[in-house]
Amino acid sequence: MNPIAKTVWALSLLLPLAACAKQEAPAKTMTNEQGCTRIRSIGPQDPYKDPPPLKQACLGPYLLEIPQNYFYNQIGTEHDGSYALALEYPSLEPFKPGERIGLSVDVAVRTVTVKYSYIDRTDLETVMKREYTPMDHQVGDPEESLDTRVKGELKNGLTPYYVDMEKVRAHYLKEGMRENAPVLKTDWHTDWYLGRDGDGKVTTVIKCTPREITEPGVEYRGGKMVKSHGDGLAECDHTIMMADLDTIIRMNYPREGVLHWRKLETRARQLVTDSIVDTRRDAK
C-alpha cells in the first residue's frame, strides 16, 4: 500500500471514533420531568474552592442555586440530579469547603442530613400519614401503630409515643423469632414524637433511638460534637411537609437535636426558599 493510501486508510478508521467521541460528550444541562432545567457540573470539581461556587439543583419544577459546600458531597448534585444537603450540628451552618471529603467519624456524627422530595402525584398529607400508620403487611405489629405504643404527655410541642418493648418482644416471639434475634433488642426500634397543628393534623413526625438507650454516642470536645467511646449512636429521623412547594423534607441528626426541632424545621425550609431562582418561582 502506497503512503497516500495508508494515510487515507488510517483517517477512515479515526473518523468514526471521533464522531462517537463527539456524540458521547456530556450534556451541559439536564431537564427533569417537571420541566426544571439545571446546568450540570461537568469535569473534575474542587470541593475546597473558597468562596464556594453556586451549583444548580432541581426540586420538582423549581430551580435552586446553592453554594457547593452545602451539598452532602460538597461538589453538587449526583450525575442523575439527586442530592442531599448537610449542615453541622448544632450551628446548622454548612461545613467548611472540603471538610466532608474523606468523611471522618467525628464529622459524620455532627451532620444534619437534609433531603427534599417533590411529591408530584400523591397528596402530601397521605405521604405524611404513611409515616405513622401501619401498611397492610404491618397491621398487628405493635411498633407500627400509635394505638399500641405508650403515649406520653405533650412536651415541647411534641406528643411522644414510646415503643412498648414488652409488646414488641411478645409479638416477634409469637412470630417465631429466636430469643437473641436483633429485632428483640431495644436499639432496633424507635420512639416516635408527633407534632400537630391547631386543627390536630400531624405536621411533624420524628423517630428517635429509644429513651431506654441512655448513652448518646457523642460528646463535646473543644466546642465540637465528636464520637464518644463505645458503640452506637443515638439519632433521629425527622419528616415534615412544605405544603407551599408540594415537598416532603426528611432530616437525620443526633438525638439531642429533637429538643430543637422547630429550629431544625425552620432552617430546612429556609434552605429551599433562599435558594429558589426567582424566575422559576414566578413560572410555577
Side-chain angles (χ1 to χ4, degrees), residues 106-224:
D106 288 341
V107 170
V109 298
R110 62 175 178 264
T111 294
V112 178
T113 304
V114 189
K115 296 181 179 180
Y116 302 90
S117 300
Y118 180 77
I119 307 302
D120 200 4
R121 300 179 180 86
T122 307
D123 180 71
L124 281 180
E125 292 185 21
T126 299
V127 176
M128 281 296 293
K129 191 173 182 179
R130 290 173 184 165
E131 294 290 324
Y132 58 91
T133 305
M135 293 186 284
D136 290 344
H137 71 279
Q138 296 172 320
V139 172
D141 188 335
E143 64 183 317
E144 298 297 338
S145 173
L146 297 179
D147 295 335
T148 45
R149 286 177 161 268
V150 179
K151 183 178 178 180
E153 294 295 325
L154 178 70
K155 185 177 181 180
N156 190 28
L158 298 172
T159 302
Y161 292 84
Y162 303 112
V163 63
D164 188 330
M165 286 306 300
E166 287 189 15
K167 290 181 179 178
V168 168
R169 291 189 182 97
H171 169 76
Y172 283 110
L173 289 173
K174 186 177 179 180
E175 292 288 310
M177 290 289 182
R178 63 183 189 278
E179 289 280 355
N180 62 346
V183 74
L184 269 68
K185 298 179 180 178
T186 304
D187 60 3
W188 196 264
H189 306 279
T190 55
D191 288 336
W192 295 1
Y193 301 86
L194 271 58
R196 295 177 170 88
D197 64 14
D199 297 324
K201 180 173 64 178
V202 174
T203 54
T204 294
V205 178
I206 307 175
K207 300 182 179 182
C208 300
T209 301
R211 56 181 176 169
E212 286 87 354
I213 307 299
T214 57
E215 173 56 52
V218 296
E219 61 187 25
Y220 284 87
R221 296 184 206 140
K224 292 280 191 179

Side-chain angles (χ1 to χ4, degrees), residues 232-244:
L233 174 67
E235 56 187 345
C236 295
D237 291 315
H238 186 156
T239 304
I240 60 174
M241 295 187 298
M242 197 169 183
D244 54 333

Side-chain angles (χ1 to χ4, degrees), residues 56 61-65 272-284:
Q56 291 191 341
Y62 301 101
L63 178 65
L64 313 179
E65 289 187 345
V272 174
T273 55
D274 288 355
S275 302
I276 294 178
V277 177
D278 288 341
T279 54
R280 293 305 302 169
R281 182 188 294 177
D282 294 341
K284 171 69 174 172

